[in-house]
Amino acid sequence: MTDREHDLVLLGATSFVGALTAAHLAASAPPAARIALAGRDRERLAAVRAGLPERAAGWPLLAVDVEDRPALDRVVAATTALATTVGPYARHGLPVVEACAAAGTHYADLTGELGFVRAAIDAADARARATGARLVHACGYDSVPSDLGVHLLHRAATADDAGGLVDVHALAVARGGVSGGTIASLLGEVDAARTDPRVRRLHADPYALSPDRDAEPGGAQPSPFAPPRRLRGRWVAPFVMAPFNTKVVRRSNALTGWAYGRDLRYAEHVDAGRGPAGLATALAVTAATALGGAALALPPTRALAGRVLPAAGDGPDEQTRRAGWFRHRFLATTTSGRTYAARVQASGDPGYAATSVMLGEAALALALDGDALPDRAGSLTPATALGDVLADRLRAHGFRLDAVATPS
């Protein structure tokens, strides 16, 4: 696709996280990279570009509405890769995925919306495999740390001939803020699950994103809503992102022919700490998760939440973004009984500062690193589409990603 006009188009560059991603690209992309900014409003795009370093002054501005399919098709056909922050994806995402699949254009997004990802797979996977497009969902805090963490465990166990992964637990801890765009996506997913039985069934199925549901081993997977308990000396609580992240990891396993292990059981938790303080934290997290879910699902409290939560376009300020961080630790046992630990961590607010790096580097990998990427096309995951290439790119920006054998 070297004859295309752009290497990368960032669609939704005027959104909160879109502008952060544009800033990352302006600071970190190779000078020769041909990048364009796209969105509905040319004046707002110009304002975003004006706030970027001088090297971005010549980036083209592409005014396009995702509902205008002919215009969208022209933009998509002119670029090697497209990254989109236009959400909620359930409302705005499918035309973009379908256009990229038809044009053979690589695609990355930030979605954590299960119903949308399943719909996109069903609508675009076969076409993308035919055209060679890599369609990569969940390229931010949903679900790069989870997906790359298990990928690293698999690579380490394979190098030691230690057998497949059996039990993997991710322990997550993070500090950061939330934006109106994230809230809108979350509310849309809650509404879909409340009103659509098909979406409820997806949420209940641990293999909802499998490329071949009938071929899955069918064994019981850990519940993402288990009560507080101790895990290797630490108290853990439900992790709000686990229902989506765990399904992405299981899709990665299936897309690789269950290379991680046919009997893989994967769970994610909040790491609440040790001792009585850890128990208190685990109980508080569990209660807050349950009450928050109920508040968003029930109309009276939902209306109240809508008045106090961030509005579309709003998000954490620069101080909050700089002070944020995340750390995911992965504990694994293999079929041979050996144990491994992996780590994925970074400074910066996970949902915005760190996510803008993750999306930006995923998009640049799709646009510029094609020969180094796994030889796959279709509806993929960060690990199966980008794997070690993305891990190396993130390490170059201060992320820590590693996996080691541990004493059994």
Side-chain angles (χ1 to χ4, degrees):
M1 289 183 269
T2 56
D3 58 336
R4 297 198 176 186
E5 183 178 358
H6 313 296
D7 295 315
L8 173 62
V9 167
L10 176 60
L11 179 63
T14 60
S15 71
F16 187 80
V17 73
L20 294 175
T21 305
H24 173 74
L25 292 171
S28 302
R34 300 168 300 161
I35 297 173
L37 304 179
R40 288 186 299 176
D41 189 320
R42 185 179 294 275
E43 290 186 4
R44 292 180 63 198
L45 288 170
V48 169
R49 185 178 64 180
L52 300 178
E54 180 64 27
R55 61 185 297 190
W59 287 2
L61 306 178
L62 310 176
V64 59
D65 190 320
V66 297
E67 304 302 325
D68 183 349
R69 186 58 186 266
L72 178 64
D73 286 343
R74 289 193 293 272
V75 168
V76 166
T79 185
T80 298
L82 180 143
T84 175
T85 70
V86 179
Y89 291 94
R91 189 182 307 160
H92 304 297
L94 203 55
V96 184
V97 176
E98 291 176 329
C100 287
T105 296
H106 306 314
Y107 165 98
D109 68 28
L110 291 174
T111 192
E113 300 170 37
L114 178 63
F116 163 71
V117 176
R118 184 68 257 179
I121 292 168
D122 295 340
D125 178 60
R127 182 64 172 147
R129 284 187 280 111
T131 63
R134 298 178 174 96
L135 309 178
V136 194
H137 302 292
C139 290
Y141 191 48
D142 288 301
S143 300
V144 166
S146 303
D147 213 25
L148 288 187
V150 180
H151 167 78
L152 292 172
L153 288 170
H154 163 63
R155 292 294 302 270
T158 299
D160 293 343
D161 196 24
L165 303 175
V166 178
D167 285 300
V168 179
H169 294 271
L171 280 64
V173 60
R175 175 189 294 170
V178 66
S179 77
T182 297
I183 294 298
S185 292
L186 176 60
L187 293 177
E189 194 73 358
V190 169
D191 287 344
R194 180 169 54 85
T195 60
D196 189 337
R198 294 171 299 176
V199 176
R200 288 198 296 274
R201 288 194 292 271
L202 284 178
H203 281 273
D205 183 359
Y207 300 104
L209 297 182
S210 175
D212 188 350
R213 183 63 183 83
D214 292 339
E216 292 288 355
Q221 288 288 337
S223 169
F225 305 110
R229 64 188 179 93
R230 293 183 69 182
L231 180 65
R232 299 197 187 182
R234 304 187 69 84
W235 286 100
V236 297
F239 182 39
V240 69
M241 296 167 63
F244 181 73
N245 289 341
T246 53
K247 293 175 176 65
V248 172
V249 169
R250 292 182 195 117
R251 179 169 175 82
S252 294
N253 191 26
L255 287 172
T256 59
W258 295 276
Y260 297 173
R262 282 291 291 179
D263 298 320
L264 172 68
R265 293 185 296 273
Y266 178 61
E268 294 188 346
H269 321 271
V270 169
D271 183 351
R274 297 182 182 273
L279 173 59
T281 299
L283 291 170
V285 169
T286 302
T289 301
L291 291 173
L296 294 180
L298 299 174
T301 49
R302 164 72 172 271
L304 176 62
R307 289 196 292 269
V308 300
L309 292 171
D314 294 337
D317 59 25
E318 183 176 359
Q319 181 178 353
T320 301
R321 298 195 303 269
R322 288 182 178 274
W325 51 269
F326 74 87
R327 181 178 67 250
H328 288 215
R329 294 192 305 132
F330 300 81
L331 307 175
T333 305
T334 71
T335 53
S336 67
R338 298 190 62 178
T339 57
Y340 288 79
R343 169 178 51 187
V344 180
Q345 67 183 61
S347 58
D349 178 285
Y352 303 96
T355 279
S356 64
V357 177
M358 288 185 267
L359 177 62
E361 293 305 312
L364 288 172
L366 290 170
L368 305 176
D369 299 340
D371 291 343
L373 297 178
D375 186 18
R376 297 189 180 98
S379 293
L380 304 173
T381 61
T384 57
L386 306 168
D388 293 336
V389 172
L390 180 57
D392 287 342
R393 280 184 165 273
L394 295 178
R395 290 186 185 106
H397 289 281
F399 284 55
R400 296 193 66 173
L401 302 97
D402 52 51
V404 296
T406 58
S408 300

